[in-house]
Amino acid sequence: MKKTKMNIVLIGARDMTVKFRELFSESKIINILGVLDLKQDTKDINTVVEKISGGRRVDSVVNISGDDKIQQRLLKIKSLDRTLLSNHGAGLLREIFNRYVLLKDSLKKAEEELDVQTWGLGKTNESIRILYKELDKKNQELKRLDKVKSDFIFIVSHELRTPLSTMNEAIGLIIDEITGKINQQQKSILIIARQNLERLTRLINNLLDISKIEAGNIALKKKAVDVKDIVKEVVYFFEPKAKSQGLELKANVPKEKIEIYADKDKITQVFTNLVNNALKFTKEGFVQIDVCQQAAKIECAVLDTGIGISKDDLPRIFGKFQQFGRIEGEGEKGTGLGLAISKGVIEAHGGSIRVDSELGKWTKISFLLPRYSTELVFRQALDDAVYSALESQISAFIIVVRMDDFLKMFNKLGQQVTQLMTRVEQLIKSSLYRRSDLVVSHFDEIAVFLSDVDKKDVLAISDRFKEVIQKFIAEEKLEKDITFSLGMALCSEGEDADSLLRRSRVNLI
């Protein structure tokens, strides 16, 4: 059933008439019939109300003026006694109206402010877009210039290294008097020249190293390396220099073997840089090399009792061409690249490096490297091979040779199983004809990574593996105990060693 609206006549609305009509324009319960401004006598009000209503039913007459005298005069008109709203009711309506006006004004003000803010935000967003575009443009230009700089350093350094090496050898021949006799003054001059050539060669080698590190082209020849051997070599090399400065060079390393999977020459270079820096900035006391084993890592550190590094300088310590505590004038000078190169080398090995220091007292530079394990070698070798193949955009496959029920066989035959796996790995290597083919093993698996081959080649190679393995097992009379499974997978873009291994384990051949 449709509800009937209440028809109302307002009295004393004055200049609020328009706003009152707006307030109730969409009301479902109230309909404003008209507004009376009380200019006429209240005696004629009944006639006026009827005129305003136009013959429509009038449910209520409301004195909205808030004037109590007017309300008392209206109460005396008998024709309005049923329809006249009480003072209290009229006050409530007036309060509602006032709050509506305030709310509407507030909303209008808020809309205006929002419009201003929206306009400003739009302008800000447009400015940000322009700034980002400019920033991206400048970043691209900086990258281009940095690459040009790195390429220039690499080319110039590479071109300079050969003539410098030739000059150094020639001076060496003259100093050794191979080309003829020279006097002591000539020899002294030539020795100084050779020392400067050697310094220039070190600078060029450092520039080449930092260029390769920044380009991500640092080549690592990894193998199992005993850190103790590296420390021993470094101490032997620097001990005379330390003694000449009145310093003690100490090494604190465990007695047992401490192996890492690393490029020995590169890690030696890191130790050399750190010890050389320590000796350079230590006037009294000692320089100490520490090595200790952790669960899965090896921690190495070089501690000195030198001049230290200020807190402000610590964040920049591994930056290129950074030198702290350098004294002007005579004395050994560096390039400021040693620590940057050391950081790059350590990170290329999957490690981390840090520095701690107290100005005027001591400095300790320590780095962590992964401990050697067959699993580490296995994973890293395959990761490197996969990355290299994908970078070169050549097809590559992996063949995985797995001993079935390895744990069961190990419990039954013991170390004989490990020896069998080693022998099978050797047979697989000998059945390959290319030096570029990679063979690595871990636990019960031997992985063979083949690059630049097609599926037909891979199937032929796997057949060859099966043949040599079956022949070996037969010779060892282990046909009833030992069996092997072979799987293969094609290296796909965006893949890593783990996913390649997983696919090869289920794709049996």
Side-chain angles (χ1 to χ4, degrees), residues 64-89:
I64 203 71
S65 68
D67 190 331
D68 190 56
K69 291 181 179 179
I70 294 175
Q71 184 73 5
Q72 293 302 320
R73 286 162 58 194
L74 293 172
L75 283 170
K76 292 177 181 179
I77 302 171
K78 292 183 178 181
S79 59
L80 297 179
D81 58 357
R82 291 185 179 181
T83 58
L84 182 65
L85 191 66
S86 67
N87 240 355
H88 179 67

Side-chain angles (χ1 to χ4, degrees), residues 301-325:
V302 175
L303 171 69
D304 67 65
T305 55
I307 61 175
I309 304 163
S310 70
K311 289 183 179 180
D312 292 336
D313 289 333
L314 282 175
R316 299 183 288 119
I317 194 70
F318 294 110
K320 292 185 296 182
F321 306 107
Q322 297 291 336
Q323 292 185 316
F324 306 104

Side-chain angles (χ1 to χ4, degrees), residues 7 266 392:
N7 293 328
K266 296 296 183 187
S392 304

Side-chain angles (χ1 to χ4, degrees), residues 415-439:
Q415 288 299 322
Q416 187 182 354
V417 173
T418 306
Q419 294 167 4
L420 286 170
M421 285 294 292
T422 302
R423 181 64 182 135
V424 170
E425 183 181 354
Q426 291 170 349
L427 289 169
I428 287 172
K429 285 180 179 178
S430 64
S431 65
L432 294 168
Y433 307 133
R434 303 185 310 174
R435 294 182 65 183
S436 59
D437 296 331
L438 173 71
V439 181

Side-chain angles (χ1 to χ4, degrees), residues 20 43 75 94 141 162 180 209 257 312 318 357 359 413 430 461 483:
F20 259 109
K43 294 178 181 179
L75 283 170
R94 190 167 56 253
E141 180 63 15
T162 301
D209 285 340
K257 203 172 187 178
D312 292 336
F318 294 110
S357 185
L359 188 62
L413 302 174
S430 64
I461 292 169
T483 58

Side-chain angles (χ1 to χ4, degrees), residues 160-192:
L160 282 173
R161 190 156 59 170
T162 301
L164 281 174
S165 178
T166 304
M167 290 165 65
N168 197 26
E169 287 178 11
I171 290 174
L173 290 172
I174 298 170
I175 290 172
D176 294 337
E177 298 185 346
I178 305 254
T179 57
K181 291 286 183 179
I182 57 173
N183 60 43
Q184 190 58 43
Q185 185 182 12
Q186 291 169 331
K187 183 177 285 191
S188 299
I189 293 170
L190 288 169
I191 288 172
I192 293 170

Side-chain angles (χ1 to χ4, degrees), residues 481-492:
D481 295 316
I482 304 291
T483 58
F484 283 85
S485 298
L486 273 74
M488 62 168 274
L490 170 66
C491 183
S492 304

Side-chain angles (χ1 to χ4, degrees), residues 144 232 389 403 491:
R144 187 188 70 79
K232 186 178 179 181
M403 181 182 286
C491 183

